[in-house]
Amino acid sequence: MKMRRHRVFLLCTVGLCVISFLHYYKALHYVSLLRELSAPYPNIKSFIMVTGFFWKERATPLASAVPEEGPPPALRPSDTKPRAAEDVGGVKGAGELGDAEGLAMEAGEDPGMPRPWVRPEEPPHRDPEATQEQNERQKVTPWHPNQPAAHLRQEVPQVVVVVEELDPTTAPTADPLETMGDLHRRTYQLQNDRTPYFVRTKAGALCFRQGTEVAPPSGQAKVPSPTAAANHGQRQLLQQPMQSQQQAPQHTEEQASTLHGKPRRGKRLVKCVCRPGWHGPYCGVPTMVYHSNLPTKERLTPRETPRRVINAINVNHEFDLLHVRFHELADAVDLFLVCESNFTAYGDRRSMRFLRLLLNGTYDYIRHKILYVFLNHFPDGGRQDGWIADDYLRTFLSRNGMSRVMGLRPDDVFIINDADEIPAREGVLFLKLFDGWTEPFAIHMRKSLYGFFWKQLGSLEVVSGCTVGMLREVYDNDGIRLRRREYYTMPGFRKYENDTGHILVQWSLGSPFHFAGWHCSWCFTPEGIHLKLISAQNGDFPRWGDYEDKRDLKYIRELIRTGGWFDGSMQEYPPSDPKEHMYAPKYMLDNYERYRYLLENPYATSTKLNGG
């Protein structure tokens, strides 16, 4: 009888819990309470924002509050849950053109501090004519945070940062939204890549041109290739095995058979002689793949027709890194999907700076490979929960962009990155030219903070790509689903696996010791970091842009100098040198003066700057 009463009491308790959960379900639906409470660094502002929903009380502003300790960059949330405001350009969708109210600052005025704990109203769709009249009444000066200041404050050493980039102030004075026409609605017809990547030797071997040593004509000394010259210091240890490989074809058939421990069978030895950094019978497997966890390395074969590669990115103000990406991947990627919005990730209006640069000729060298995606609205609920805005960025980019690409084949490659994630050219070429690898694939990237001079331990592994067929059938053309590592839970997973006959096994290009790309977090000038702080989405707390002292340019310069984080913590950085392998993309190193502010610490005083 006593046990029966206990069971009744237990059932009643469970029932009350269920009723309570259902009662507050609507509030939990709009505010990510469970995510905040389960985070390793919850903060008081998030709690106050949530209590405002439960008890209908207006939260007390915390402008003067000291921020709670936040995760350093090495421990920030990975792309199993999308990272906060990784240099994205706002969140938007398909539809008619919206107005373009630019992000501007009055002279000497600090931008107003966002208040995420107060539930804001969704941005209204204003009348373009009224907005234009209002802008004419207000004299504002455009602020270009990506352009480094020529003179720094006296509190820090005098450092002049020169970046040879087209100043957006030289762009056409007309509103870019009015001059772009149907640029955001155009389609793109993919063409086959007819570049002769492979060459067949006289002996009959099929070899990858870039990865194969070519014997010089008789009577001429061997001239090292540009790649070999660039890596001469790293290749000295490999000279002995390379010489023995180059001398092997000069032996007679009988000697060759003896060297390899096989009896003579009446056939000449057919083999490609690989350059350092390339492997496999075709010399087409780069070191980053050779040392990866790809389970099918023994079944790799070159394709007769190269795949087409589509690289999708969201852009905000990462224009220097965008130039680097375009030059690094120009001959490996067939199409760049570049998405820009007239909203920040926080939901404020912003100017269309990339569109201006695209129209004024800055990117003419790569414009034939760019498909512009325009996101002109902000998603519902994105101000209350920043992760909604962050997810919607990639969803719109992939769905709108891929719907406008004509001539796609199921085995073409789709890669989606943040603007500060740059894959290495060699890895992308491998995906383009070889059959036999599985999907989806991730990329191990070298991690750095504020610039390539602050190298972080380990690597950043981000699921970045798959074939177009898998993107359609498994992920429903949704880029954020691809980034989340949850392909095995998707409804179309088993059907796609059965239809293609492929076993879907995720693998990663590179390893923690053999990088396949670069992730440069917060790699801007101090003014660029300031802009990123105030435009960051309202979901990755603490939101450092809410604190006035964190937005101070002098404070930001000190963070760059010391490598510290906004919570006051200091990390341990392994030593790095611009001469080391995979220090930075080749285009940056070839244009050292232009990118010196990212390759060397511009505010280092007590320690010697790294040499170029």
Side-chain angles (χ1 to χ4, degrees):
M1 194 68 184
K2 190 173 184 180
M3 291 295 294
R4 197 173 292 174
R5 280 199 297 268
H6 287 173
R7 290 179 182 176
V8 172
F9 177 76
L10 180 60
L11 290 175
C12 292
T13 304
V14 172
L16 288 174
C17 293
V18 172
I19 294 174
S20 300
F21 176 78
L22 294 176
H23 181 70
Y24 293 116
Y25 176 79
K26 185 175 182 180
L28 291 171
H29 179 71
Y30 288 107
V31 181
S32 53
L33 175 64
L34 298 179
R35 180 184 297 167
E36 276 302 304
L37 295 180
S38 62
Y41 300 93
N43 65 85
I44 188 64
K45 288 198 309 176
S46 304
F47 179 75
I48 292 180
M49 180 179 68
V50 174
T51 56
F53 280 92
F54 282 108
W55 287 284
K56 308 296 181 184
E57 294 179 1
R58 187 178 181 89
T60 305
L62 298 178
S64 60
V66 179
E68 298 291 331
E69 182 181 7
L75 300 177
R76 297 170 71 191
S78 68
D79 272 296
T80 55
K81 170 180 161 184
R83 296 192 308 281
E86 284 293 318
D87 306 333
V88 291
V91 187
K92 323 73 196 159
E96 297 299 322
L97 290 178
D99 54 348
E101 181 180 348
L103 179 64
M105 291 176 29
E106 296 184 3
E109 179 183 355
D110 186 59
M113 179 180 63
R115 301 178 180 273
W117 51 86
V118 179
R119 186 173 185 176
E121 297 180 358
E122 293 296 330
H125 295 280
R126 305 179 184 177
D127 184 5
E129 297 181 358
T131 303
Q132 185 176 0
E133 293 177 0
Q134 181 180 2
N135 289 340
E136 291 177 354
R137 291 194 301 268
Q138 298 177 352
K139 294 182 179 180
V140 295
T141 302
W143 180 41
H144 308 293
N146 203 45
Q147 298 297 321
H151 301 285
L152 305 178
R153 296 183 180 181
Q154 297 181 356
E155 290 83 356
V156 296
Q158 187 82 9
V159 179
V160 179
V161 182
V162 179
V163 181
E164 299 175 2
E165 181 180 354
L166 185 61
D167 192 337
T169 57
T170 63
T173 55
D175 188 340
L177 289 176
E178 298 176 358
T179 58
M180 83 169 167
D182 64 342
L183 183 64
H184 65 299
R185 297 190 185 96
R186 296 176 186 173
T187 60
Y188 187 94
Q189 180 66 43
L190 276 180
Q191 303 294 332
N192 286 334
D193 187 350
R194 303 189 183 280
T195 305
Y197 292 102
F198 290 89
V199 61
R200 192 170 293 277
T201 65
K202 293 181 180 180
L206 185 65
C207 304
F208 180 54
R209 286 177 178 269
Q210 182 181 345
T212 305
E213 289 286 2
V214 179
S218 58
Q220 294 184 11
K222 181 179 177 181
V223 179
S225 64
T227 306
N231 298 308
H232 177 70
Q234 303 172 21
R235 296 179 177 178
Q236 291 178 351
L237 297 177
L238 300 173
Q239 288 298 319
Q240 294 293 340
M242 279 303 303
Q243 291 174 2
S244 62
Q245 287 181 348
Q246 294 171 8
Q247 294 172 1
Q250 299 176 3
H251 293 289
T252 63
E253 297 176 17
E254 198 170 280
Q255 289 173 325
S257 300
T258 304
L259 287 173
H260 289 271
K262 295 181 180 179
R264 177 183 175 185
R265 298 182 180 179
K267 293 184 180 180
R268 295 174 58 187
L269 178 65
V270 178
K271 182 179 180 181
C272 303
V273 181
C274 299
R275 291 175 176 168
W278 297 93
H279 310 269
Y282 311 99
C283 297
V285 178
T287 297
M288 61 189 66
V289 176
Y290 185 76
H291 290 284
S292 70
N293 62 345
L294 176 63
T296 57
K297 294 176 186 176
E298 303 301 323
R299 299 198 293 270
L300 298 173
T301 56
R303 293 173 55 90
E304 294 184 3
T305 303
R307 292 183 173 91
R308 283 80 58 85
V309 179
I310 299 97
N311 186 203
I313 50 175
N314 290 285
V315 64
N316 184 19
H317 62 291
E318 309 84 0
F319 302 117
D320 280 349
L321 292 181
L322 200 60
H323 277 298
V324 174
R325 172 188 300 274
F326 289 155
H327 284 90
E328 174 74 15
L329 302 176
D331 61 346
V333 169
D334 297 86
L335 176 63
F336 293 96
L337 300 179
V338 183
C339 180
E340 185 181 32
S341 174
N342 54 350
F343 287 93
T344 68
Y346 186 70
D348 296 328
R349 294 280 183 169
R350 63 178 294 274
S351 60
M352 309 290 290
R353 294 185 58 196
F354 174 74
L355 179 58
R356 281 197 181 95
L357 296 175
L358 189 65
L359 295 176
N360 71 13
T362 301
Y363 296 105
D364 278 357
Y365 66 92
I366 198 68
R367 185 168 179 176
H368 63 287
K369 288 190 174 184
I370 294 178
L371 184 63
Y372 183 73
V373 179
F374 174 50
L375 187 51
N376 72 333
H377 64 269
F378 196 73
D380 295 337
R383 289 293 290 264
Q384 288 75 30
D385 186 352
W387 294 113
I388 295 176
D390 198 68
D391 291 354
Y392 189 69
L393 274 169
R394 300 177 180 90
T395 299
F396 182 84
L397 165 63
S398 55
R399 287 182 173 171
N400 179 276
M402 293 299 284
S403 69
R404 294 160 52 198
V405 181
M406 305 292 106
L408 283 167
R409 294 194 297 258
D411 61 348
D412 288 335
V413 180
F414 175 81
I415 301 174
I416 184 169
N417 302 121
D418 287 345
D420 57 4
E421 300 168 357
I422 304 177
R425 171 184 176 274
E426 293 80 4
V428 177
L429 271 180
F430 166 80
L431 299 170
K432 182 186 186 78
L433 301 177
F434 279 85
D435 279 333
W437 47 268
T438 63
E439 55 181 329
F441 56 85
I443 299 177
H444 279 282
M445 288 176 280
R446 180 190 189 271
K447 295 191 301 180
S448 52
L449 180 66
Y450 305 134
F452 294 88
F453 44 85
W454 289 124
K455 175 183 176 182
Q456 297 176 308
L457 294 171
S459 67
L460 178 68
E461 184 185 18
V462 181
V463 179
S464 303
C466 63
T467 63
V468 169
M470 185 175 184
L471 180 69
R472 288 173 176 171
E473 303 299 329
V474 179
Y475 298 114
D476 193 24
N477 279 332
D478 191 346
I480 190 59
R481 294 182 181 179
L482 170 61
R483 303 264 296 190
R484 282 182 171 171
R485 302 173 179 261
E486 298 174 354
Y487 65 94
Y488 46 84
T489 64
M490 300 296 171
F493 163 63
R494 290 299 177 191
K495 183 179 184 301
Y496 177 76
E497 197 173 47
N498 295 332
D499 291 346
T500 59
H502 299 158
I503 299 177
L504 302 183
V505 179
Q506 181 184 309
W507 65 289
S508 299
L509 283 146
S511 72
F513 305 101
H514 299 86
F515 305 125
W518 301 267
H519 174 253
C520 196
S521 184
W522 297 82
C523 289
F524 301 98
T525 61
E527 293 81 6
I529 293 177
H530 180 281
L531 178 58
K532 177 170 178 173
L533 286 170
I534 62 175
S535 61
Q537 55 109 317
N538 186 35
D540 191 12
F541 297 107
R543 188 178 184 275
W544 300 112
D546 295 339
Y547 303 96
E548 184 176 359
D549 58 328
K550 305 299 181 183
R551 305 194 305 269
D552 182 69
L553 293 181
K554 180 180 178 182
Y555 173 78
I556 294 174
R557 292 189 189 102
E558 183 66 13
L559 290 182
I560 297 175
R561 186 185 73 83
T562 62
W565 186 237
F566 291 93
D567 61 359
S569 64
M570 294 292 298
Q571 297 187 65
E572 291 186 7
Y573 297 95
S576 62
D577 189 284
K579 298 179 181 179
E580 72 183 38
H581 184 55
M582 294 294 289
Y583 178 81
K586 182 178 182 298
Y587 180 75
M588 298 188 76
L589 298 175
D590 291 344
N591 297 269
Y592 203 95
E593 288 303 320
R594 173 175 181 174
Y595 295 102
R596 182 178 291 274
Y597 78 104
L598 293 177
L599 299 173
E600 295 180 0
N601 192 335
Y603 306 105
T605 53
S606 59
T607 59
K608 184 180 179 181
L609 292 174
N610 293 329

